[in-house]
Amino acid sequence: MSDTFGRDYWERRYEGHEHGHGTHRGPNPTLVETAGELDPGTALEAGAGRGEDGIWLARRGWRVTAVDISEAALDQAAQSARDLDPEAAARITWVRADLTEWAPSEPGFTLVSSHYAHPTGRFERLVERLAAKVVPGGTLLIVGHDTSEAHTHAAPHDRPAHAHMSAPRVAAVLDPAEWDVLEADSRERVVTLPDGGHKSMRDAVVRARRHR
């Protein structure tokens, strides 16, 4: 990754607890909806942040590999896991790595989930790498900031356009001979602001199942 979203950027962000990163907020609802229909298996949480999704999965019996570029984020995530559920914490492996370069030792995962990753290159390239880590019969879930948010007042000024994603364009990188695309659309999400107010944003969601 370039310096825009390199390790130093994320270390500063998490060490300073900016934008609510100092609070355990619970899992992303799209993950809860998707994984709630699956039998527990092996999961990759790509771009783990403070680990809310990985902790939620582990508490439901999944064996989780949680990867993030920030050591500060993973330290906070591991502590949260130990505090919330020591037994579940033992089912999580925390890995500090750049997802654009990381090669797992595992042969693959039954669930690969990524929420709001910020690659510096084309989003589709990251998705190709993540999709390659899904075993046949497994599920890929990618959620990102929809491209419709890129030029609105809702978009943070430090987030370049390529940190957003178009669900149809991301889904197009999945070979129909190998994948069934179950969803490739945008969804509205209401977020709570630090002052207690609310703001509507749009997420792009791609959910697919690998059939070979």
Side-chain angles (χ1 to χ4, degrees):
M1 298 175 77
S2 75
D3 291 341
T4 304
F5 288 123
R7 182 179 181 184
D8 289 346
Y9 172 91
W10 292 110
E11 294 295 0
R12 290 192 302 269
R13 187 176 177 92
Y14 283 102
E15 287 172 355
H17 304 304
E18 294 180 23
H19 304 293
H21 281 286
T23 304
H24 185 86
R25 296 171 295 177
N28 285 291
T30 311
L31 173 73
V32 173
E33 176 187 331
T34 299
E37 301 176 354
L38 304 174
D39 294 330
T42 58
L44 168 62
E45 184 186 4
R50 296 195 67 250
E52 288 93 345
D53 287 351
I55 293 170
W56 184 85
L57 288 166
R59 298 185 79 181
R60 280 148 187 81
W62 291 78
R63 288 185 291 111
V64 180
T65 299
V67 180
D68 199 273
I69 199 170
S70 168
E71 186 173 355
L74 295 177
D75 286 346
Q76 294 171 37
Q79 186 61 57
S80 293
R82 290 190 294 267
D83 291 345
L84 288 168
D85 191 330
E87 183 178 345
R91 289 192 286 271
I92 306 174
T93 300
W94 306 100
V95 179
R96 197 211 67 77
D98 183 336
L99 284 166
T100 64
E101 302 172 353
W102 176 68
S105 58
E106 297 86 344
F109 301 89
T110 52
L111 171 65
V112 172
S113 174
S114 177
H115 283 70
Y116 313 113
H118 287 59
T120 53
R122 292 174 59 247
F123 211 102
E124 293 87 341
R125 292 179 182 173
L126 175 63
V127 173
E128 288 173 346
R129 289 185 63 86
L130 296 180
K133 297 171 175 56
V134 181
V135 300
T139 297
L140 175 69
L141 175 65
I142 307 290
V143 180
H145 304 288
D146 191 81
T147 50
S148 65
E149 296 284 349
H151 305 292
T152 71
H153 67 281
H157 296 300
D158 67 346
R159 184 190 300 155
H162 54 240
H164 295 75
M165 65 177 259
S166 160
R169 282 171 52 188
V170 167
V173 309
L174 302 176
D175 185 349
E178 299 182 8
W179 292 91
D180 294 319
V181 176
L182 307 176
E183 180 178 0
D185 208 344
S186 62
R187 297 185 181 187
E188 185 174 8
R189 171 171 57 102
V190 177
V191 298
T192 301
L193 302 174
D195 63 4
H198 297 85
K199 177 172 64 178
S200 294
M201 302 183 71
R202 295 207 68 82
D203 289 340
V205 178
V206 174
R207 184 169 54 93
R209 182 177 299 115
R210 187 170 198 161
H211 51 75
R212 76 176 181 88

